[in-house]
Amino acid sequence: VANTLDDVVAGALRVLDGYGLEFCSMRRVAAQLEVRPSALYHHVPDKQTLLGLMADRILADVTVDADLAASSTRLRAAMLAVRDGAEVVATTAAFRLGGFALEADLAAHSDPDVARTLLLYVVGHTQATQLHRQAAAVGIVEADPDLDASFERGLAIILR
Amino acid sequence: VANTLDDVVAGALRVLDGYGLEFCSMRRVAAQLEVRPSALYHHVPDKQTLLGLMADRILADVTVDADLAASSTRLRAAMLAVRDGAEVVATTAAFRLGGFALEADLAAHSDPDVARTLLLYVVGHTQATQLHRQAAAVGIVEADPDLDASFERGLAIILR
DNA sequence: ACCTGAACACCGTTCAAGT
DNA sequence: ACCTGAACACCGTTCAAGT
């Protein structure tokens, strides 16, 4: 039962969604695929690259159009759909400043500075949302029921 | 030569600034202090807590006033002053949404939504700046000479 | 092409014991 | 109070070898 690169990325996302980024190790991904850890390196040069492919997959179905607020909300939803999704995107997208596909897409419908500002805000707020909810779930902080509304208000400030 | 908690935080920041977050392990911090790794756990319950104290120290001298743009630039400068400073702040500050001292300070001089939006943007852009410069230094991406100006333009968009 | 086995050089953390 | 020694259960990655 030979695996393909797509199987590896899919397996990694299953581990991520099930256990969180903290426990998404190469060894666990390998176990998920019923393979030895070293087998992963036939498909991917290192973990960083795998995380990048996971981020790409998380964002794969996000469409961007002239409605920047709606586009931002769709981007947020895509990241919220998988556990620690925003953190994976933030970690791997941050160092691609400018060379990030969604930034170019957004810029095509507005302006490069607005696109970048919006993207940093959307990813940052969504990452904070996921971390906060996780902290609240474990009880180390009281839950904030206003996070989605807070997101929309910040969006309005940037797009005003 | 007994160490205090402040010594531990200072030593950790020295390791961070010298080697980067990736190599800022408990074991390296211990070596920096010429102590066994287990000794650190007398001062700090875990690594997460130590990172939080490092973030607090990085931001300790940042002052916030009614000039939000200038305040943001000072915050950015404080994070840029230490290697991977923004990443440390982002990692530890994100899950404190609302319970973050600087957010309250900024809110006192403007509005809670502006404060949060600004903070997410400033930390996000600065983290991207540091990661980008690091990538450029290693040659895996061409340097962007426009990052400080890009930061200021995004600021103007939020504060307009 | 895809995988195993075995190894290397690391991690964070705990805990009894020393001074 | 502050630290050592020794251990536990992990990491990412490499590389020769198998099929």
Side-chain angles (χ1 to χ4, degrees):
Chain A
V1 280
N3 287 299
T4 166
L5 176 57
D6 266 23
D7 295 333
V8 172
V9 176
L13 283 171
R14 238 146 50 223
V15 173
L16 179 69
D17 201 45
Y19 303 93
L21 183 57
E22 188 187 358
F23 299 107
C24 189
S25 63
M26 296 298 271
R27 296 176 111 102
R28 282 204 191 224
V29 173
Q32 165 76 39
L33 297 171
E34 293 181 299
V35 120
R36 298 308 126 204
S38 53
L40 298 179
Y41 293 86
H42 188 267
H43 301 280
V44 117
D46 52 31
K47 187 181 181 179
Q48 182 71 253
T49 302
L50 178 54
L51 286 168
L53 294 170
M54 293 162 71
D56 289 344
R57 184 92 127 219
I58 289 169
L59 302 177
D61 295 332
V62 177
T63 61
V64 159
D65 58 34
D67 186 342
L68 297 182
S71 299
S72 297
T73 299
R74 286 195 298 272
L75 170 55
R76 174 173 167 89
M79 292 187 287
L80 287 178
V82 11
R83 162 121 76 137
D84 291 337
E87 194 161 357
V88 171
V89 171
T91 300
T92 66
F95 87 106
R96 305 193 216 172
L97 253 192
F100 189 36
L102 272 173
E103 189 177 334
D105 290 353
L106 281 168
H109 291 99
S110 55
D111 148 307
D113 294 320
V114 170
R116 178 169 292 180
T117 303
L118 201 55
L119 205 52
L120 287 167
Y121 170 74
V122 172
V123 174
H125 196 294
T126 306
Q127 183 179 4
T129 297
Q130 280 183 318
L131 287 169
H132 179 92
R133 284 183 183 161
Q134 226 165 279
V138 182
I140 72 175
V141 89
E142 81 247 55
D144 184 340
D146 187 47
L147 289 177
D148 287 333
S150 157
F151 175 75
E152 298 292 337
R153 292 194 303 270
L155 225 47
I157 288 171
I158 294 173
L159 298 176
R160 94 181 81 137
Chain B
V1 280
N3 287 299
T4 167
L5 176 57
D6 266 23
D7 295 333
V8 171
V9 176
L13 283 170
R14 237 146 48 222
V15 173
L16 179 69
D17 201 44
Y19 303 93
L21 183 57
E22 189 187 357
F23 298 108
C24 189
S25 63
M26 295 299 271
R27 297 177 110 102
R28 281 203 191 225
V29 172
Q32 165 76 38
L33 297 170
E34 292 182 298
V35 121
R36 297 309 125 202
S38 53
L40 298 180
Y41 293 86
H42 187 267
H43 301 278
V44 116
D46 52 31
K47 187 181 182 179
Q48 183 71 252
T49 302
L50 178 55
L51 285 168
L53 293 171
M54 291 162 72
D56 289 344
R57 184 93 126 219
I58 289 169
L59 302 178
D61 294 332
V62 177
T63 61
V64 158
D65 58 34
D67 187 342
L68 298 182
S71 299
S72 297
T73 299
R74 286 195 297 272
L75 170 55
R76 173 174 168 88
M79 292 186 289
L80 287 178
V82 10
R83 164 121 76 137
D84 290 338
E87 193 160 358
V88 170
V89 171
T91 300
T92 66
F95 87 107
R96 306 192 215 171
L97 253 191
F100 189 36
L102 271 173
E103 189 177 335
D105 289 353
L106 281 168
H109 291 99
S110 56
D111 150 302
D113 294 321
V114 170
R116 178 170 292 181
T117 303
L118 201 56
L119 205 54
L120 287 166
Y121 169 73
V122 172
V123 174
H125 196 292
T126 307
Q127 182 180 5
T129 297
Q130 279 183 318
L131 287 170
H132 179 92
R133 285 183 182 162
Q134 227 165 278
V138 183
I140 74 176
V141 89
E142 79 248 55
D144 184 339
D146 187 46
L147 289 178
D148 287 333
S150 157
F151 175 74
E152 298 291 337
R153 292 194 303 269
L155 224 48
I157 288 171
I158 294 172
L159 298 176
R160 93 179 80 127

